[in-house]
């Protein structure tokens, strides 16, 4: 096969990069399972009509087709690759509601596909890691705290530096906007959601182009400027609302929830959360807490984790299944990490088994079988070169131990090539230190 040109937006990591990604995925999965989130996997395709009902445009969706179907038109039943894991989750819950226990705590780590322009941190094929809690008819507010705390814990388990979890509550925004006399809340939220990208001047112009008066636009921007690292955010919003004559039961409920969220996160994830009224989340199905997570010191990366509460996204007509969840863009995160994080070795093996000569290769293979049977990953030298060259081969791969089978009845020996220490060893009892058993993440 002739060399194929690269296709942008579809990352293919080198082995070391894939090992970093695996370490990230394993770390996330461990935290999710510690909080009793059960893992599911759904199909890669959904009917096009179901995907587009979430508000995406057809340009962002990869539609499946066959060569012999050239010229065929698309319908709601046309299959397309899912662009996130929310629509598959909704279908999964509705299809299995009679067999699931609610609240249903699910985690899902899968690839998704999105037909957007590739750029830094944005890919056409990427992996997401989601946690969601789905209730039947009702879902206690406590889960809006829990999913945020779980994600904060998961991200702190990774060597990525400090993260900032910015939170808001849609009830606060909706009540404030309606108190100003606005009816198209979703339009205002979509413009506020662009603040970090285009700045307040252009957002203000956009709001006024949507029918807001200059005074209403200024009030919306003033609300979005409020932030605090504790539950003091409620006093700031209440003060602004009082000054503008804005007040309602919905506003009080939203502020109460936002304050409780900040107090709880101060206990569960100290120093991570910030209440930020500019966090709007442009999708219109969010109804309560909303979240955006960024890396401090890497603003160019944008959000690495986002989500929120949704009450009406999943419905059978007779029943509703409210939920709350967060999603990590794993591929975006790994692409950033690869500039500063590597692995302690480029292969899984922690032991390189030397070969005395080809006539005695079976003895090296016997050692390998014994070690693997005890869960110790190892590899056998492909040749019987001088021991110095076999040690060098292990060193190139970062393998810390070299095993030398005994000759003429002598005991086997194993050498730590980092320290030079060499000791007698038995394949039935010797074990490497726990930290050497599998590759670990290291700074580069």
């Amino acid at each position: 096969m002739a060399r194929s040109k690269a296709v942008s937006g579809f990352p293919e990591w080198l082995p070391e990069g894939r090992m970093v990604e695996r370490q990230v995925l394993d770390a996330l999965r461990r935290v999710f399972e510690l909080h009793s989130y059960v893992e599911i996997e759904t199909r890669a395709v959904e009917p096009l009509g179901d995907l587009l009902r979430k508000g995406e445009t057809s340009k962002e969706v990869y539609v499946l087709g066959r060569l012999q179907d050239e010229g065929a038109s698309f319908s709601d039943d046309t299959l397309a690759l899912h662009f996130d894991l929310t629509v598959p989750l909704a279908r999964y819950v509705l299809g299995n509601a009679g067999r699931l226990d609610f609240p249903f705590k699910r985690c899902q780590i899968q690839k998704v596909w999105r037909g957007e322009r590739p750029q830094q941190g944005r890919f056409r094929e990427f992996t997401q890691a989601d946690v969601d809690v789905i209730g039947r008819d009702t879902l206690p507010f406590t889960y809006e705290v829990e999913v945020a705390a779980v994600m904060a814990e998961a991200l702190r388990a990774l060597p990525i530096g400090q993260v900032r979890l910015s939170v808001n509550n849609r009830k606060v925004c909706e009540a404030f906007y309606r108190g100003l006399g606005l009816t198209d809340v979703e339009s205002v939220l979509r413009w506020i959601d662009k603040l970090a990208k285009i700045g307040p001047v252009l957002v203000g112009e956009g709001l006024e182009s949507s029918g807001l008066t200059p005074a209403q636009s200024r009030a919306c921007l003033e609300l979005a400027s409020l932030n605090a690292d504790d539950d003091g955010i409620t006093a700031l919003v209440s003060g602004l609302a009082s000054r503008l004559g804005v007040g309602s039961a919905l506003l009080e409920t939203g502020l109460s929830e936002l304050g409780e969220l900040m107090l709880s996160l101060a206990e569960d994830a100290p120093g991570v959360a910030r209440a930020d009224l500019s966090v709007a989340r442009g999708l219109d199905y969010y109804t309560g807490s909303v979240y955006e997570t960024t890396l401090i010191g890497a603003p160019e990366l944008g959000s690495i984790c986002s989500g929120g509460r949704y009450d009406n996204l999943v419905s059978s007509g007779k029943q509703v299944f409210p939920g709350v969840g967060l999603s990590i863009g794993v591929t975006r995160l790994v692409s950033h990490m690869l500039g500063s994080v590597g692995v302690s070795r480029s292969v899984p093996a922690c032991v390189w088994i030397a070969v005395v000569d080809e006539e005695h290769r079976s003895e090296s293979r016997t050692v390998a079988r014994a070690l693997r049977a005890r869960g110790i990953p190892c590899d056998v030298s492909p040749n019987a070169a001088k021991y110095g060259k076999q040690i060098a081969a292990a060193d190139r791969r970062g393998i810390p131990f070299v095993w030398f089978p005994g000759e003429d009845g002598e005991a086997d020996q194993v050498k730590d090539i980092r320290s030079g220490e060499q000791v007698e060893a038995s394949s039935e009892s010797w074990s490497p230190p726990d930290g050497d058993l599998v590759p670990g993440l290291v700074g580069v």
Side-chain angles (χ1 to χ4, degrees):
M1 177 181 177
R3 182 176 180 179
S4 175
K5 70 176 184 179
V7 179
S8 62
F10 293 82
E12 292 180 330
W13 312 124
L14 290 172
E16 293 87 345
R18 173 56 178 162
M19 291 175 76
V20 170
E21 184 179 48
R22 281 286 302 275
Q23 293 271 0
V24 169
L25 296 176
D26 290 346
L28 296 176
R29 188 177 287 107
R30 281 195 298 272
V31 173
F32 298 161
E33 291 180 350
L34 281 173
H35 292 266
S36 196
Y37 285 76
V38 61
E39 186 170 11
I40 67 169
E41 183 170 331
T42 58
R43 67 198 187 202
V45 297
E46 300 291 338
L48 182 61
D50 290 348
L51 291 174
L52 296 185
R53 271 195 288 273
K54 189 167 178 269
E56 302 293 325
T57 68
S58 58
K59 291 187 294 185
E60 295 176 321
V61 179
Y62 283 107
V63 176
L64 300 188
R66 299 180 299 175
L67 291 176
Q68 57 264 44
D69 291 341
E70 184 177 353
S73 59
F74 301 142
S75 70
D76 283 353
D77 294 328
T78 300
L79 295 180
L81 295 171
H82 56 226
F83 52 79
D84 70 5
L85 301 177
T86 304
V87 171
L89 173 63
R91 175 188 54 75
Y92 183 92
V93 168
L94 291 176
N96 296 286
R99 293 172 287 181
L100 297 175
D101 291 322
F102 294 92
F104 174 51
K105 296 172 62 171
R106 148 277 199 190
C107 67
Q108 188 169 355
I109 301 174
Q110 277 186 246
K111 286 190 175 182
V112 299
W113 295 266
R114 194 171 297 176
E116 60 183 355
R117 182 174 64 86
Q119 51 187 300
Q120 182 181 9
R122 291 189 175 273
F123 301 90
R124 293 171 173 171
E125 178 183 70
F126 53 99
T127 299
Q128 286 188 184
D130 288 18
V131 291
D132 286 80
V133 184
I134 307 294
R136 189 200 297 268
D137 295 325
T138 62
L139 182 69
F141 173 76
T142 185
Y143 288 110
E144 296 180 46
V145 176
E146 179 178 302
V147 295
V150 169
M151 276 303 190
E153 182 178 335
L155 291 169
R156 285 185 297 178
L158 305 176
I160 55 176
Q162 191 173 359
V163 299
R164 170 67 67 198
L165 174 61
S166 299
V167 302
N168 193 3
N169 192 295
R170 275 289 187 88
K171 295 172 186 175
V172 173
C173 297
E174 179 178 351
F176 188 87
Y177 299 155
R178 293 194 184 283
L180 294 174
L182 306 176
T183 56
D184 190 358
V185 172
E186 287 74 20
S187 176
V188 178
L189 286 169
R190 283 193 291 270
W191 277 108
I192 295 297
D193 193 44
K194 299 177 182 180
L195 261 173
K197 293 181 179 179
I198 65 176
V201 174
L202 292 180
V203 168
E205 293 175 357
L207 290 171
E208 292 182 34
S209 71
S210 300
L212 275 67
T213 66
Q216 290 171 327
S217 175
R218 287 194 299 271
C220 292
L221 288 171
E222 189 171 358
L223 177 70
S225 71
L226 300 179
N227 61 80
D229 292 332
D230 54 32
D231 62 327
I233 188 66
T234 60
L236 293 176
V237 176
S238 295
L240 175 62
S242 177
R243 176 161 57 84
L244 297 177
V246 173
S248 67
L250 182 63
L251 180 62
E252 293 304 315
T253 298
L255 285 176
S256 175
E257 291 180 352
L258 184 57
E260 183 179 343
L261 179 62
M262 290 300 297
L263 284 172
S264 298
L265 289 178
E267 297 177 352
D268 295 338
V272 173
R274 168 177 289 175
D276 186 341
L277 273 294
S278 70
V279 175
R281 302 292 296 142
L283 298 172
D284 59 11
Y285 57 77
Y286 289 121
T287 55
S289 299
V290 287
Y291 321 90
E292 290 275 4
T293 310
T294 54
L295 287 183
I296 294 177
E300 72 284 354
L301 195 61
S303 174
I304 60 169
C305 176
S306 60
R309 167 79 181 236
Y310 46 90
D311 285 320
N312 306 307
L313 183 65
V314 187
S315 172
S316 65
K318 297 180 180 179
Q319 284 186 311
V320 294
F321 299 87
V324 60
L326 276 156
S327 174
I328 297 178
V330 175
T331 305
R332 173 180 294 190
L333 189 57
V334 171
S335 69
H336 172 76
M337 291 174 63
L338 291 180
S340 58
V341 175
V343 283
S344 56
R345 55 182 183 265
S346 62
V347 294
C350 68
V351 182
W352 182 266
I353 303 171
V355 176
V356 177
D357 54 47
E358 291 302 330
E359 291 182 3
H360 294 85
R361 176 173 289 275
S362 62
E363 296 176 6
S364 297
R365 295 177 64 231
T366 297
V367 172
R369 284 195 299 272
L371 292 176
R372 290 167 184 155
R374 297 174 47 236
I376 300 172
C378 57
D379 201 357
V380 178
S381 175
N383 56 58
K386 292 182 178 180
Y387 277 169
K389 291 185 176 181
Q390 295 190 56
I391 293 172
D395 191 37
R396 284 197 303 273
R397 294 164 173 80
I399 298 175
F401 297 99
V402 176
W403 191 285
F404 303 103
E407 300 181 56
D408 301 325
E410 295 182 356
D412 292 3
Q413 297 199 358
V414 65
K415 180 174 186 173
D416 184 335
I417 62 175
R418 298 164 299 186
S419 66
E421 181 183 8
Q422 185 167 323
V423 297
E424 290 187 1
S426 166
S427 59
E428 301 299 328
S429 60
W430 178 88
S431 293
D434 290 344
D436 289 326
L437 187 61
V438 297
L441 296 178
V442 296
V444 297

